[in-house]
Amino acid sequence: MADDDREALGLRLKEARDYLGLSQDEVAAAMNVSRSAISLAESGKRRVDSIELKKLAKIYHKSISVLAGEKPTDVPMSDHLARAVTGLTENDQNELLEFARFLKIRAESRRDD
């Protein structure tokens, strides 16, 4: 992997971690590696092997291909929503369903105007 590719991967990993509000220490503990290993990977100074990338994808709730920088394919929105719902409590899922119903009613009322 070229240095530019490794740096780009590191940036995507850092952005994914930051988005979830995780510290490098938390990710390192989940990966069973040192915090400096996470820091070096995020700065592009350390290679990330395929097994580590798989673990990071799971921690960050991202696909390996997205972390690797591949452009997303045309995945139906329902697939994205189903993935997003995974891990939510039943109460949170019900709230999400109610919000989706609200959005649908709002969209229908806008069409009627």
Side-chain angles (χ1 to χ4, degrees):
M1 180 181 280
D3 288 344
D4 289 345
D5 291 338
R6 201 169 25 248
E7 288 175 14
L9 171 62
L11 179 61
R12 286 188 297 276
L13 293 173
K14 181 179 182 342
E15 288 173 348
R17 180 180 58 75
D18 286 343
Y19 180 78
L20 293 175
L22 297 172
S23 69
Q24 288 182 341
D25 287 321
E26 291 170 316
V27 173
M31 297 277 300
N32 199 26
V33 298
S34 67
R35 188 207 52 79
S36 64
I38 300 301
S39 177
L40 290 169
E42 289 182 359
S43 66
K45 295 177 182 164
R46 178 181 172 274
R47 290 179 187 249
V48 177
D49 69 29
S50 60
I51 294 169
E52 290 174 321
L53 190 58
K54 183 177 178 182
K55 288 178 184 178
L56 289 164
K58 185 174 182 177
I59 291 167
Y60 296 150
H61 307 287
K62 302 265 185 194
S63 69
I64 293 170
S65 60
V66 166
L67 289 179
E70 294 178 12
K71 299 293 180 206
T73 57
D74 292 334
V75 176
M77 181 56 70
S78 59
D79 288 356
H80 290 292
L81 292 171
R83 185 172 293 139
V85 168
T86 302
L88 293 179
T89 66
E90 185 176 342
N91 188 47
D92 288 343
Q93 289 178 17
N94 289 332
E95 285 185 41
L96 186 58
L97 182 58
E98 287 301 315
F99 185 65
R101 288 177 180 146
F102 163 76
L103 291 174
K104 186 174 181 179
I105 291 168
R106 187 178 71 176
E108 289 169 354
S109 69
R110 287 181 177 170
R111 280 191 293 255
D112 293 340
D113 290 344

